[in-house]
Amino acid sequence: MNYELTDESRLWAEEVYEKIRVKIKAECARVGSAIPYIAEDGVYREDKAQTDICWWTNGFWPGILWQMYHAQGDEEFRSAAQGVEEKLDQAFHLYTGLHHDVGFMWLHSAVANYRLTGNQRSKARGLHAANLLAGRYNPRGRFIRSWNEDRAGWVIVDSMMNIPLLYWAGQETGDPRYEYLAMDHGDTVMNLTVRGDGSCNHIIILDPATGELLKTPGGQGYGPGSSWSRGQAWGIYGFALSYRHTGKKDYLDTAKQVASYFLAQTDRTGHVAVVDFRAPKEPVYWDSTAGVCAACGMLEIAAHVPKPEQDFYVESALNILKATDERFCDWDPNKDSIVQMGTASYESSSDRHVPIIYGDYFFIEAVLRLLGKDFLIW
């Protein structure tokens, strides 16, 4: 959709888009079809194709490339994205390392390719991934289990960002089972992760035989009962996307509820997010990735509400994006990564205040969307 922006905001978005164009073109020349994750001193040294082909973030680089290919038509973006997609076939072969995040991996690679080019091999890859995700469904508890090993009843709020793969598969095949599974799961996550004030549990542990809620551990946030900011962002965008695909008003209402909580917290910190909204005041740990993902969720909500409510969500997204640009972005085309100061989890120091690939993806998606240059990758 076309968002109504002020002249000032449109100028900002256009200037940022030009910087994105220059930066990603330079990165594509350096990175090609390698699979980056975290830049070290401005360099993507690790190639996840070599170190962990099943890693959950492996779709975000091709996602960036497909978004830029759609916006600009540069063939090198398409070529590099297809190279990553072919490498991800090895993850299918390994299989045991895959879990609920197959949506992140193949929506942004194979499904994006199919949507833009009609590639039938890419469609098959997407459907294969969707069936892996559907195979994780627990019919007694009405949920899709997260992670592997001894976690048969574990569900995380991040999973809401993966079930659009099922909605897509249902639309492509005409088989409603995919949507039924996705909505069963969405209902369970909505009812058991979202608290009354709009904050979210990161993890819920359910009895795999009954679906009864057993525990709500802290996960990647500060601790049990806390509020991991990126989990909130997954909730905002994930529930808004489920509304897009189903028209179920409860999902949109839930996205708004979580968004209100998120905005109340980030209004106190200059429109950028700390890692956990209920962590102690010191030390201060930031997570830029939470903000840019939430901004994409705000823009998704805006697509489904009337004015002046729409303007509120667009302005909220812009506040986050502009603050991120001012405080956390590195636009040097000779260095890899744009959005700095991402944090994977509260307790881990090795990936705290670092540039993480999905921070760039969500920032780029949001800016392209403001300018009407994006396409629906979810």
Side-chain angles (χ1 to χ4, degrees), residues 177-221:
R177 293 178 301 164
Y178 295 100
E179 182 177 354
Y180 299 157
L181 295 182
M183 292 183 71
D184 279 357
H185 179 78
D187 290 350
T188 297
V189 175
M190 178 174 63
N191 293 329
L192 297 180
T193 67
V194 182
R195 308 180 184 118
D197 64 354
S199 66
C200 296
N201 293 303
H202 177 206
I203 300 172
I204 54 174
I205 300 179
L206 310 176
D207 184 330
T210 66
E212 177 189 0
L213 179 63
L214 301 177
K215 294 180 182 178
T216 56
Q220 287 164 249

Side-chain angles (χ1 to χ4, degrees), residues 60-117:
F60 285 107
W61 174 239
I64 290 171
L65 296 170
W66 282 120
Q67 289 285 8
M68 295 304 293
Y69 173 76
H70 175 264
Q72 295 187 204
D74 291 9
E75 189 58 34
E76 59 262 41
F77 295 148
R78 172 175 171 164
S79 178
Q82 288 178 328
V84 174
E85 180 182 333
E86 291 167 3
K87 291 177 180 180
L88 288 176
D89 284 347
Q90 182 61 26
F92 284 142
H93 298 324
L94 290 173
Y95 174 66
T96 53
L98 297 174
H99 44 82
H100 67 278
D101 279 326
V102 293
F104 281 135
M105 296 175 71
W106 278 281
L107 276 170
H108 295 67
S109 55
V111 176
N113 188 355
Y114 171 66
R115 281 174 161 150
L116 293 180
T117 73

Side-chain angles (χ1 to χ4, degrees), residues 12-292:
W12 173 84
E14 289 172 347
E15 290 176 345
V16 169
Y17 170 68
E18 178 60 20
K19 290 189 285 188
I20 290 171
R21 188 192 65 77
V22 171
K23 180 101 178 188
I24 298 303
K25 194 172 184 69
E27 280 190 4
C28 186
R30 289 190 296 268
V31 176
S33 62
I35 307 180
Y37 175 43
I38 293 175
E40 302 172 45
D41 300 320
V43 179
Y44 284 130
R45 292 191 174 91
E46 181 185 12
D47 178 2
K48 284 293 186 182
Q50 302 296 322
T51 60
D52 189 354
I53 195 61
C54 293
W55 186 241
W56 73 276
T57 68
N58 287 353
F60 285 107
W61 174 239
I64 290 171
L65 296 170
W66 282 120
Q67 289 285 8
M68 295 304 293
Y69 173 76
H70 175 264
Q72 295 187 204
D74 291 9
E75 189 58 34
E76 59 262 41
F77 295 148
R78 172 175 171 164
S79 178
Q82 288 178 328
V84 174
E85 180 182 333
E86 291 167 3
K87 291 177 180 180
L88 288 176
D89 284 347
Q90 182 61 26
F92 284 142
H93 298 324
L94 290 173
Y95 174 66
T96 53
L98 297 174
H99 44 82
H100 67 278
D101 279 326
V102 293
F104 281 135
M105 296 175 71
W106 278 281
L107 276 170
H108 295 67
S109 55
V111 176
N113 188 355
Y114 171 66
R115 281 174 161 150
L116 293 180
T117 73
N119 186 310
Q120 292 299 302
R121 180 70 188 99
S122 297
K123 176 182 177 180
R125 289 179 173 116
L127 291 175
H128 187 174
N131 282 301
L132 292 177
L133 185 57
R136 303 180 68 84
Y137 178 73
N138 180 315
R140 295 292 186 267
R142 295 166 60 90
F143 65 87
I144 296 168
R145 66 164 290 181
S146 299
W147 296 324
N148 294 330
E149 299 164 342
D150 58 346
R151 297 165 173 169
W154 287 48
V155 176
I156 60 176
V157 69
D158 321 35
S159 61
M160 291 301 299
M161 296 296 295
N162 286 275
I163 60 174
L165 180 64
L166 298 178
Y167 295 129
W168 168 80
Q171 293 158 9
E172 282 299 316
T173 62
D175 188 336
R177 293 178 301 164
Y178 295 100
E179 182 177 354
Y180 299 157
L181 295 182
M183 292 183 71
D184 279 357
H185 179 78
D187 290 350
T188 297
V189 175
M190 178 174 63
N191 293 329
L192 297 180
T193 67
V194 182
R195 308 180 184 118
D197 64 354
S199 66
C200 296
N201 293 303
H202 177 206
I203 300 172
I204 54 174
I205 300 179
L206 310 176
D207 184 330
T210 66
E212 177 189 0
L213 179 63
L214 301 177
K215 294 180 182 178
T216 56
Q220 287 164 249
Y222 174 71
S226 67
S227 179
W228 179 48
S229 60
R230 184 150 44 89
Q232 312 301 131
W234 296 141
I236 296 166
Y237 202 4
F239 285 112
L241 287 167
S242 277
Y243 174 76
R244 169 184 284 272
H245 288 290
T246 68
K248 182 171 180 175
K249 188 173 180 294
D250 286 350
Y251 294 149
L252 183 59
D253 290 343
T254 300
K256 291 180 183 180
Q257 181 186 12
V258 181
S260 294
Y261 178 83
F262 189 96
L263 292 172
Q265 305 308 310
T266 53
D267 282 351
R268 302 187 304 175
T269 51
H271 308 298
V272 294
V274 294
V275 175
D276 193 304
F277 295 131
R278 293 180 178 168
K281 291 184 178 181
E282 298 291 339
V284 177
Y285 297 145
W286 301 103
D287 183 14
S288 58
T289 72
V292 292

Side-chain angles (χ1 to χ4, degrees), residues 301-319:
I301 294 172
H304 306 294
V305 298
K307 284 180 165 292
E309 190 179 7
Q310 181 184 103
D311 294 334
F312 167 77
Y313 286 107
V314 173
E315 182 180 352
S316 297
L318 277 163
N319 287 339

